[in-house]
Amino acid sequence: MKIVYWSGTGNTEKMAELIAKGIIESGKDVNTINVSDVNIDELLNEDILILGCSAMGDEVLEESEFEPFIEEISTKVSGKKVALFGSYGWGDGKWMRDFEERMNGYGCIVVETPLIVQNEPDEAEQDCIDFGKKIANI
Ligand SMILES: Cc1cc2nc3c(=O)[nH]c(=O)nc-3n(C[C@H](O)[C@H](O)[C@H](O)COP(=O)(O)O)c2cc1C
């Protein structure tokens, strides 16, 4: 499995690592990939896309790397399962509701309720691990 993420200060990256831990504990292999290093053709061979990005700008995805990545895959993901996650700060999760709606609009099947965590995932470590376990068992 592959997890692709963008993270400015490491919070979403920590979530990605904890989700990976849950996947590994479920007996599956997983690579955690910074979006700047992703090979899109390889990624699209996966049954499930596990995508994470923190809330940036004004309740949007990060605009210089993650947003262009989503644009690029947008026409190639119809029918694909996706799981979404990310960290936020002061908002109410709007960026993630919009992200989910957008992926649905591209024809994706969002397989789990997106996992959002305020700031560092320290108090939500188990939630992240459990999210990984659920995804591994889909
Ligand atoms: C430039 C910038 C814009 C942000 N915009 C939002 C926002 O619109 N809504 C929100 O809830 N948090 C916002 N935040 C807070 C981050 O989402 C929060 O600090 C998050 O934990 C960062 O995760 P990361 O380290 O994975 O990037 C913003 C932070 C920065 C630096």
Side-chain angles (χ1 to χ4, degrees):
M1 306 186 89
K2 295 189 197 304
I3 300 174
V4 178
Y5 69 91
W6 183 91
S7 183
T9 59
N11 295 337
T12 303
E13 183 175 31
K14 275 190 204 157
M15 291 180 73
E17 284 161 4
L18 291 160
I19 293 165
K21 190 174 173 199
I23 292 172
I24 290 164
E25 283 177 10
S26 299
K28 300 244 168 102
D29 281 338
V30 61
N31 292 330
T32 305
I33 305 164
N34 189 302
V35 69
S36 60
D37 299 325
V38 70
N39 177 321
I40 288 179
D41 290 335
E42 273 179 29
L43 176 69
L44 292 173
N45 287 329
E46 296 289 317
D47 289 336
I48 305 184
L49 308 182
I50 310 167
L51 309 176
C53 182
S54 46
M56 285 287 129
D58 183 10
E59 295 294 335
V60 293
L61 299 171
E62 188 275 332
E63 288 170 294
S64 71
E65 292 182 317
F66 201 82
E67 173 62 37
F69 159 68
I70 294 298
E71 274 300 314
E72 190 169 346
I73 66 170
S74 65
T75 56
K76 304 170 186 167
V77 289
S78 185
K80 194 67 106 176
K81 293 176 196 157
V82 296
L84 309 177
F85 67 97
S87 174
Y88 68 102
W90 52 82
D92 69 351
K94 181 175 189 303
W95 106 104
M96 187 56 77
R97 292 194 296 278
D98 290 348
F99 188 18
E100 180 179 19
E101 194 178 309
R102 190 167 161 193
M103 297 313 287
N104 279 323
Y106 297 148
C108 292
I109 301 138
V110 179
V111 290
E112 277 296 325
T113 303
L115 179 65
I116 66 171
V117 167
Q118 193 168 28
N119 301 315
E120 293 186 14
D122 295 8
E123 284 165 26
E125 283 191 6
Q126 196 58 48
D127 293 341
C128 294
I129 293 167
D130 290 347
F131 188 75
K133 286 184 178 168
K134 281 190 225 156
I135 293 166
N137 287 307
I138 283 168

